[in-house]
Amino acid sequence: MATSKTVKLVKIPGLLRYHEGLKLQQRLWNLSKDHRLNYLIMCEHSPVYTFGKRQSKTDLSGEFQRLQGAGAECYATPRGGLTTFHGPGQLVCYPVLNLRNFKHGAKWYVNQLEELVISTCYQMGVRAERCEHVGIWTGNNKICALGVNIRARCTTHGLALNCNTDLEWFDKIVPCGIAGRGVTSLSRETGREVGVEEAGEVLVREFQKVMECSVVT
């Protein structure tokens, strides 16, 4: 039986263009706000660079032109954080949750997302942790980007966990505006090929534990 802490899993096959992901989030956000429903979108994007709300569109025109020349789309977004990359081999998760159902606020939510990634990595044999910078790290390298938006106590955007991503895409930017640090992936850290499907199954199990909810298909 569905409860206020039931989360509907929405898995998108293939590669999803970023603007289609934004439209899907908005549609589900409306349902979450109006009917107190919860969703977990899981997808892979076609190559795209996204920019956080702290970055003005005026500052981005040159960057858009440069990065589009590399074969990726570019979007300014209302999420927190700075520039990052999404693309094939990266597990992108957009929880669209009505936080009234969880009886907690923004600080709790961000903390639980961090715990979700740390526990998912641990289950796959990778030691990951928080540091003074946003995201989840293994040593000096970021393995997962985090950036959320919360309006009317309902969440959008979320996390991007590198599974078997082509990390050369990150060479074209300063990921999340943090100089002197690198990026990594589950495949690089484990020394074997870890795909989005495998990581996604683990993440859903850990999501239910960390969020104390039930995920249904």
Side-chain angles (χ1 to χ4, degrees), residues 25-42:
Q25 287 181 78
Q26 183 61 49
R27 181 168 64 84
L28 298 185
W29 180 86
N30 289 333
L31 292 171
S32 180
K33 176 176 67 72
D34 294 341
H35 304 290
R36 293 186 67 160
L37 300 175
N38 308 299
Y39 301 92
L40 176 60
I41 303 169
M42 297 178 62

Side-chain angles (χ1 to χ4, degrees), residues 166-208:
D166 180 358
L167 299 178
E168 289 187 4
W169 285 102
F170 291 95
D171 294 342
K172 298 172 177 61
I173 59 173
V174 179
C176 299
I178 303 168
R181 288 188 175 237
V183 292
T184 190
S185 66
L186 289 171
S187 293
R188 175 173 287 184
E189 296 300 315
T190 59
R192 67 179 183 85
E193 191 75 3
V194 178
V196 166
E197 189 69 26
E198 179 185 354
E201 291 177 1
V202 176
L203 186 138
V204 169
R205 290 199 301 269
E206 297 306 305
F207 187 91
Q208 294 180 98

